[in-house]
Amino acid sequence: MGSNDAADLVLALDLGGTNMRVAVVSSGGDILARSETATPYDAGAEELAILVAALCRQAASDAGNVSPIGLGAAIPATFRPDGTVGKLPNLPRLSGSDIKGLLARETGLRVELMNDATAAAAGEHWLGAAAGAENAIMITLGTGVGGGIILGGKVHFGADGTAGEIGHLCVEPEGHQCGCGSRGCLEQYASGTAVVRQARESGLIVSTAKDVYDLADRGDLAAGRLFLEMGRYLGIAIGGLLNVLDPDVVVIGGGVAAAWGRFYPAMRAEATARAFPEPAERAKIVRASLGDDPGVLGAAKITFERIAEGRL
Amino acid sequence: MGSNDAADLVLALDLGGTNMRVAVVSSGGDILARSETATPYDAGAEELAILVAALCRQAASDAGNVSPIGLGAAIPATFRPDGTVGKLPNLPRLSGSDIKGLLARETGLRVELMNDATAAAAGEHWLGAAAGAENAIMITLGTGVGGGIILGGKVHFGADGTAGEIGHLCVEPEGHQCGCGSRGCLEQYASGTAVVRQARESGLIVSTAKDVYDLADRGDLAAGRLFLEMGRYLGIAIGGLLNVLDPDVVVIGGGVAAAWGRFYPAMRAEATARAFPEPAERAKIVRASLGDDPGVLGAAKITFERIAEGRL
C-alpha cells in the first residue's frame, strides 16, 4: 500500500448505535487501517469528538504514519438547514450540537458530515452490490432502518441532507408509535429493535434479533412468522419505492439482513405484487456485499468527491 | 409571436383520460396555438395517432403555418424496457402498442414519448409553481393520481421511464383494491374517481368529484369529511416522500386540486406529523400554477432538451 500518496487518503468514520468504526481509505477504495470501539451512548459531542480523534490517530499510525487530507463522518442523524445535527434517536446528547466543528477542531482535518445510511448507499454504489447502477436504493436494517438513494449515478442528499429516510415511510397508517413522532413507520416493523419487540409481544424470551433468528432456525413458528411479517412490510415499502423511483437495484444491508433467507421470499412477493410490472421485473433486490464496510467506504467516497469539487 | 423560428417550435400532446390537448410551444415557453378534443376511450392506437396528427396540423396551421421540429407526446402510461407502452388503465386499447412509431408515421415528426404526470412535473418546474426548485415533487389529482419528480434540477425518469408513480404508493396496506393490482394505493383515496366512489359508499348521489365538492360547499358534512380523509391520505404519502426525497417543494395539480381549501389543512397537518422536522419545515406544499397547461408545456420542454442533447 506504499503507493498511496497522502493526498489520496482520507479518514472515514461510521458512527453506529453500537460500534464506531474509523478507517483510513485510499481514493481507490483500499482500506489501509481500521480502528473501532463501542459507541458511548451517553457521550456528549465534545467527548465523542475527542474519542473519534484518538481513533483517527490510531488508524493513521497503523496505516504507516500517513497524513490523510480529510475526515468523512457518517452519523445516524438528520441535518438542519444551518448544518447542525437534528434528530439522533440513538445518540440523543448529540442533538443540536456542532459535531462537525468539534471533529474539525480535535482532528485538525476538514470534515464532511453526512447521514450514515446515505454513506452506506454511497459505499455499496462505489464498490459493492449497487456498483454501476444508475439508480439504486439502499436499505440498512439495524437498530433502526436507514436508507440511502443513488439517482442518476449520484448520491441524492435532498434539500437538507435528510433524503433517504426509508425507515420512516409509513407502512401502517395507525400502526406502532415511532420514535420520529409518526406511526406505523417501516422502522417499527423491520428493524432489529422491532423484531425483538414483536417477538416479546408474541411471548418469546429474547434479547436480540439474533435470538429471534436462532429460534426460527430451531423451528419456532412464531419466530419464523415474525420474519415473514417483516418481509411483508419491507415489500410494501419497496413496492412503493419501485413505483416512485424506478431503480435498477435495491440493496439490503445491516445486521438484520443476516436473516435474508427468512424474509426475502415474503419481501420479494409483496414488492412484486405492489409495484407496476416494469419496475418490478427490472429491479433486482439483493443483499449488500461490503459487510461492515459500506459506511466507512461511502463516507470516504463522498469526502473525496467533495474535495475534488472544491466544496470541502 | 412572429419572432419564433420553426427551429424554436415543437408540438406537444397531453393525452388525458377525458381530453386530449395539442399545443405549438416555443423554446421560450410561449403557447402559439392549441387544439383539443375529447379522448376517444375505445380508440385503437392507429386511430388515435391519426386523430393526434389532425390536431397537430390544426394547431400548426393556427400558429401561422409553422413547421415544428418534433412532437412531445405525454400519455398516461408506463413504459416497457423496449419502449412500447405498458399499462394504460384509462386507455386500455393502447396497451402494448407502438404508439410512438404510429405518431411519427402520421405526423412525419420525431416523437418523444413520456408519462403525462412526468410531463406535468417538468412543466411546473419550467414555468410554474416548482420553478427554480432543485428537488420537487408534483402530484396530479385527476381521474387517477399521477406524479412526477424533479431531482437535482432535472426530471427523474427512472430505469424504465416509470418513476414518479406516486398514486401507487401504498397508504393502507389492506385497503381498497387498485386497478394496478395492489391494494390501498393513494389513487384509491385521493383521485376524482375515489372521491366519487367513497361519496356513493356514504350514500351521496353524485356523478363527479365536482358534485361532491358542491355538496361540501352547501354544508353536507359527509361530503366535507371525504375531503378531510383525502387530505389525510395525501399527507401520509407526502410525509413519506418528504422523508425519502427531502424536496424543496411539493406541487399539487389536476382537476381535483380545485378542492384545495377542503383538503389542504388535513394534508398539511398529516404530512408535518409524519415527516422529520427538517424536511417538514422546509418543504412548501403548494398548488400548481399552470392550469391546464403543465402537461403540454412539460412535454415541449422535455422534447426541446432531447433534441438539444442529440437524443431525438
Side-chain angles (χ1 to χ4, degrees), chain A residues 60-73:
Chain A
S61 164
D62 291 352
N65 287 318
V66 297
S67 300
I69 55 172
L71 168 63

Side-chain angles (χ1 to χ4, degrees), chain A residues 212-235:
Chain A
V212 186
Y213 181 76
D214 290 343
L215 278 176
D217 250 13
R218 291 202 295 275
D220 187 292
L221 289 179
R225 211 175 295 128
L226 285 176
F227 288 105
L228 292 182
E229 195 64 1
M230 169 193 170
R232 175 172 164 266
Y233 279 114
L234 273 169

